[in-house]
Amino acid sequence: MAKKFHNFIAGKWCEAQSGQTFENRNPANWDEVLGVFPKSGKEDVDKAVRSAQEGFKEWRKVPAPQRGQIMKRVGDLLVKHKEDIARGMTKEMGKVLMETRGDVQEGIDTAYYAAGEGRRLFGQTAPSELPSKFCVSIRQPIGVAGVITPWNFPMAIPTWKIFPALLCGNSVVFKPASDVPLTGTRLVELLLEAGVPPKAINLVHGTGSTVGIPLVEHPGVDVISFTGSSAVGRQISSISGQGLKRLSLELGGKNAQIVMDDANLDLALEGVIWGAFGTTGQRCTATSRLILQEGIYEEFVERLVERTRNLKLGDGLDSSTDVGPVINEKQRENIHSYVEVGQREGARLLCGGESANEGKLSKGFFYRPTIFVDVTPQMRIAKEEIFGPVLAVLKVKTLDEAIEVLNATPYGLSSSIYTQDVNQAFRAIEDIEAGITYINGPTIGAEAHLPFGGVKDTGNGHREGGWTVYDIFTEWKTIYVDYSGKLQKAQIDTEKERA
Ligand code: UN1
């Protein structure tokens, strides 16, 4: 019998009110059921939001440095349980153990950053235009934060949102992706163990349509933070727009790596292999396009295909595995349908392009790392997010053309250029349309203390990570203290003085 897991609502672990459940299975071995989780609905969301409203009243009164101390304890607990959480994560979503450890580490970094922020959470002061008057602005919490997260970073992304939301004094209703309910549950357990008041953190399992959308629609939710596809982001945006809610969106990407003729090719090759096929290509920041200058094109493609063919597919818990499974059958079908689109569009398949089913691989959802050449910027495989191990290679003549091709998608999350020419590097930094640009590094590997997010259809202008996320989860309050003992009129008294 698989272990039964629960929601956490109003300070209690509980079933969905409907009593329904769903299974959490291992994408490397679909026969393995990791647990049974509540299939929640609107009524569970409503209860969770009402609990969070109560939790907010208590939590907002806790001084920020004390909230920071709790974040420090969460970080310590994540350190203590890192290996165990990483193994559970590999089982529930497939990426290799080295990467799931990194995912937990990103949560640890975010916790310790939040701990320090408890003693900063800076406001601003400015001089008044009038005498004996003092002006200051402070940050205040917003209220109930609805947090909806994807399955590709089951620990890191929830922590990017939940830790700053809590540190700022908000309460949280958390809906993890239904492919990764286990890691989400572990996170909530540790938050409670560290001392977050029970009603300030609520966990509701289920799907986007039955839990996510009701959470966005609920009038008691004041701020929403979502990471996922641009299509769902648009839907959330229009619902929360009607409610005049605060909203932060981190959406799709179609990230490219440029390699110029003068680049260190060994380095660029390592970069693209890691960027395109790490996490089985299932990162918002994954390298899904490779833009090569014509002088190195032939040699680079040849070396790339050879390296890619040698990548070993397998269970992420096996230390010899390079590339784990994709998340589920539906996603594998989606990836394959893009491969067919690419072929129809006239791109040439050099390797991969099919599921891998030999031996034990038949038990899971494996897809061979895939490379297309002769791709043009107009093709769908060059523009749309595939979210799998598929790399589209494009050939260009100049830096200008490389940047133009890089910018020719609706997205703008991450980007990269390999060159040894400082002038070319700075031109790229200036003209690439993306929230993140790497010089001589792959498109993946953002650090927790720097702004993370993108331009164009990748988001709605917010940045997570570092201190920028604290703007998402706070309201500014401006305070004027008049200690002159008389009525002073801004703009009017000052005008008199000028006369
Ligand atoms: C994501 O792909 O959704 O920069 C997040 C990176 C990771 C975070 C990725 N630190 O690839």
Side-chain angles (χ1 to χ4, degrees), residues 13 48 69 83 93 142 144 172 239 306 388 437 442 469:
W13 294 99
Q69 273 305 108
E83 188 61 20
M93 59 73 69
I142 303 172
V144 176
V172 170
I239 301 169
E306 193 196 317
T437 297
V469 68

Side-chain angles (χ1 to χ4, degrees), residues 4-170:
K4 200 165 176 189
F5 290 85
H6 295 97
N7 287 333
F8 188 76
I9 299 175
K12 290 194 189 71
W13 294 99
C14 54
E15 294 184 0
Q17 285 182 49
S18 67
Q20 291 185 335
T21 57
F22 67 93
E23 287 173 339
N24 180 21
R25 288 176 182 248
N26 180 345
N29 174 11
W30 204 240
D31 294 336
E32 188 182 358
V33 180
L34 304 166
V36 172
F37 289 81
K39 194 174 179 182
S40 317
K42 210 175 160 165
E43 54 294 348
D44 302 292
V45 170
D46 185 54
K47 228 174 129 194
V49 173
R50 281 188 284 120
S51 155
Q53 285 174 318
E54 276 180 47
F56 176 58
K57 286 186 203 146
E58 177 187 349
W59 182 237
R60 69 185 286 271
K61 294 286 185 192
V62 176
Q66 282 184 36
R67 298 196 294 250
Q69 273 305 108
I70 294 178
M71 292 303 128
K72 160 80 171 57
R73 284 205 287 278
V74 178
D76 294 345
L77 287 168
L78 284 169
V79 169
K80 187 169 153 199
H81 297 288
K82 180 172 174 178
E83 188 61 20
D84 188 39
I85 295 172
R87 285 180 175 273
M89 195 191 301
T90 292
K91 282 190 182 181
E92 75 174 341
M93 59 73 69
K95 64 186 174 185
V96 298
L97 196 51
M98 174 185 67
E99 291 188 40
T100 50
R101 286 184 188 130
D103 192 318
V104 181
Q105 185 58 46
E106 209 161 329
I108 295 166
D109 298 341
T110 304
Y112 290 149
Y113 188 94
E117 202 56 37
R119 289 193 182 271
R120 287 188 295 264
L121 219 55
F122 293 132
Q124 291 167 353
T125 61
S128 171
E129 64 186 45
L130 292 161
S132 300
K133 198 175 167 195
F134 177 77
C135 308
V136 62
S137 61
I138 59 169
R139 289 174 188 272
Q140 291 202 309
I142 303 172
V144 176
V147 170
I148 306 172
T149 54
W151 47 263
N152 64 337
F153 277 82
M155 180 60 78
I157 293 180
T159 68
W160 289 359
K161 301 175 190 303
I162 294 174
F163 293 174
L166 288 172
L167 189 279
C168 293
N170 305 283

Side-chain angles (χ1 to χ4, degrees), residues 193-206:
E193 189 179 336
V196 175
K199 288 185 178 171
I201 176 79
N202 297 268
L203 170 71
V204 189
H205 290 292

Side-chain angles (χ1 to χ4, degrees), residues 106 150 152-153 157 160 227 282-286 387 413 438 443-447 452:
E106 209 161 329
N152 64 337
F153 277 82
I157 293 180
W160 289 359
T227 296
Q282 303 171 113
R283 294 194 188 210
C284 321
T285 53
F387 226 68
L413 180 54
Y438 291 90
T443 60
I444 69 177
E447 301 178 27
F452 181 92

Side-chain angles (χ1 to χ4, degrees), residues 292-362:
L292 298 177
Q293 198 172 9
E294 59 187 358
I296 49 98
Y297 181 87
E298 297 293 335
E299 179 194 343
F300 199 85
V301 168
E302 196 179 308
R303 289 177 66 187
L304 173 67
V305 171
E306 193 196 317
R307 278 291 304 273
T308 304
R309 283 213 176 102
N310 286 326
L311 292 172
K312 187 170 172 284
L313 294 177
D315 187 324
L317 289 179
D318 178 344
S319 59
S320 68
T321 296
D322 296 308
V323 180
V326 300
I327 187 71
N328 54 38
E329 180 62 39
K330 192 167 156 251
Q331 186 55 19
R332 184 164 67 169
E333 281 166 11
N334 189 46
I335 292 165
H336 190 65
S337 75
Y338 267 108
V339 167
E340 289 172 343
V341 166
Q343 283 171 314
R344 277 202 300 276
E345 286 178 316
R348 194 152 53 87
L349 190 60
L350 290 191
C351 64
E354 58 180 6
S355 297
N357 291 310
E358 61 273 17
K360 280 200 221 154
L361 299 185
S362 66

